[in-house]
Amino acid sequence: MTIVEEQDGLGKYIVVYIVMLVITGIELLIASRHPSGGALLASMLIPAFLGAILGILYFMHLASENHKSIVAFTIFTVFVLAATTYGWSDSFRLLLGAPFAK
Amino acid sequence: MSHSEVALGGQHAGHHVPIMEPSPFAVPAKKLAMWLFIISDIMTFAACLVAYGFLRNSTANWPRPFQTSTIVSVLIMTFILVTSALIMALAVRAARAGDRAAAFRLSMITLVAGLVFTLLHIREWFGMIGQGVTFFKNPWGTGLFGGAYFSVTGMELLHVIAGLIALLIIAMGYKSGRYSAVDLENIGLFWQFINIVWMFVVPLIYFMNMAS
């Protein structure tokens, strides 16, 4: 069965496309100035997340899906992504050569 | 309801009872499955990237080997992949509108773009291998760099190749009428996911390790 839907405008696709390319350019510009570790990581991750959110909402059409699915997918995914950073602080301990806690 | 009633389509005493309850998310089952697969794949990539970040942060002499030529190559690859994502989104848009010919044509353009991306990626790998980078050693510093680099970019490349094969099969099937617009939309979702992952791989692997 073929479900025919009304076509949405091209404009939003072009805008998201341009924003994604601009984000890469901004990241390159920031990285070429070689900021310090934490600032560099944040300045790479924040634009990348912005691009990802735009891609998910408009290229993957999540914005036009049922709101229940948006909420369910978002909560589930963000929770697990946050949980993956659980051991992050241990990398600083390794870097500084600090002993394990007793 | 007995089994025989279910088999008859749930008709009982003149009332039509649906056999199955509707999807809680009001999306086709295949599409819901693809979203769940993508979520699980997000976890996989997140684990890889967090492990890479952990190693990079905890290693004092982490190499920063990427010269301008590599960065230019990565920018071209990014342009190709983001453009392919746009074209794939337009293919899905055409498929949703019932324009089978346009959807197929745009899918094929996406496929060609993906192939060019793959070839550039493999060329990039050969360049790194030519400089002496392996999984366990490299000329610049900690041996962990090669393992992290090949693992993360290899995962991405594996997904691109799998996506290309799936896209070819589904686009051909869609053209012949074997597959529906939902099937094309599903492979479109996967292709967009690949593009989104690349949006993280580029800054974290390449830009953060640019040579001074």
Side-chain angles (χ1 to χ4, degrees):
Chain A
M1 185 175 69
T2 305
I3 301 166
V4 178
E5 295 179 14
E6 193 179 328
Q7 281 198 339
D8 43 6
L10 263 176
K12 70 178 181 189
Y13 293 108
I14 304 293
V15 169
V16 171
Y17 170 67
I18 291 168
V19 170
M20 280 182 169
L21 292 178
V22 168
I23 280 172
T24 307
I26 290 169
E27 285 168 343
L28 176 63
L29 205 66
I30 295 169
S32 63
R33 294 182 180 183
H34 298 287
S36 63
L40 177 62
L41 182 64
S43 58
M44 294 294 105
L45 279 180
I46 292 168
F49 270 110
L50 182 67
I53 289 166
L54 284 174
I56 290 167
L57 287 178
Y58 298 105
F59 277 6
M60 295 173 91
H61 302 108
L62 193 61
S64 56
E65 294 289 354
N66 184 309
H67 279 221
K68 271 185 201 169
S69 59
I70 299 175
V71 172
F73 294 158
T74 306
I75 292 173
F76 182 57
T77 309
V78 169
F79 175 77
V80 179
L81 285 179
T84 58
T85 62
Y86 174 71
W88 186 252
S89 58
D90 196 45
S91 64
F92 291 97
R93 184 192 61 75
L94 287 171
L95 182 67
L96 300 171
F100 286 104
K102 292 182 180 173
Chain B
M1 191 186 299
S2 68
H3 288 295
S4 58
E5 285 170 323
V6 171
L8 289 168
Q11 286 181 346
H12 181 67
H15 297 288
H16 183 79
V17 182
I19 298 170
M20 295 168 69
E21 63 179 273
S23 164
F25 300 114
V27 292
K30 284 181 188 174
K31 199 164 152 186
L32 181 62
M34 178 52 85
W35 271 110
L36 293 176
F37 170 72
I38 286 172
I39 288 172
S40 70
D41 227 11
I42 289 172
M43 313 306 175
T44 310
F45 272 105
C48 284
L49 288 171
V50 168
Y52 155 74
F54 185 96
L55 291 175
R56 192 189 186 285
N57 191 51
S58 62
T59 310
N61 61 338
W62 190 264
R64 300 181 79 153
F66 297 117
Q67 303 288 339
T68 309
S69 60
T70 306
I71 297 300
V72 170
S73 175
V74 166
L75 286 176
I76 293 168
M77 287 160 69
T78 305
F79 176 75
I80 291 168
L81 198 63
V82 175
T83 305
S84 78
L86 170 71
I87 296 166
M88 191 68 228
L90 296 180
V92 170
R93 176 176 173 266
R96 281 178 157 190
D99 190 347
R100 207 170 268 267
F104 176 72
R105 201 168 48 244
L106 291 165
S107 300
M108 287 297 109
I109 297 171
T110 306
L111 192 82
V112 171
L115 276 173
V116 174
F117 175 87
T118 306
L119 292 175
L120 287 174
H121 205 312
I122 291 170
R123 177 176 160 268
E124 197 53 49
W125 264 26
F126 277 119
M128 292 296 282
I129 293 165
Q131 291 181 65
V133 183
T134 68
F135 248 86
F136 305 107
K137 65 180 174 65
N138 62 76
W140 310 294
T142 175
L144 293 169
F145 170 80
Y149 170 78
F150 284 120
S151 299
V152 175
T153 56
M155 277 280 287
E156 170 74 12
L157 189 57
L158 190 69
H159 277 71
V160 172
I161 293 168
L164 287 176
I165 294 167
L167 179 59
L168 179 65
I169 293 167
I170 291 172
M172 297 300 281
Y174 178 72
K175 189 190 177 194
S176 67
R178 185 177 175 196
Y179 292 122
S180 67
V182 173
D183 296 313
L184 194 73
E185 192 173 351
N186 275 344
I187 186 60
L189 285 174
F190 185 69
W191 194 257
Q192 301 301 342
F193 168 69
I194 290 168
N195 174 50
I196 287 168
V197 170
W198 186 248
M199 298 286 290
F200 286 90
V201 171
V202 169
L204 295 179
I205 300 290
Y206 291 99
F207 291 170
M208 281 182 75
N209 299 315
M210 276 168 63
S212 299

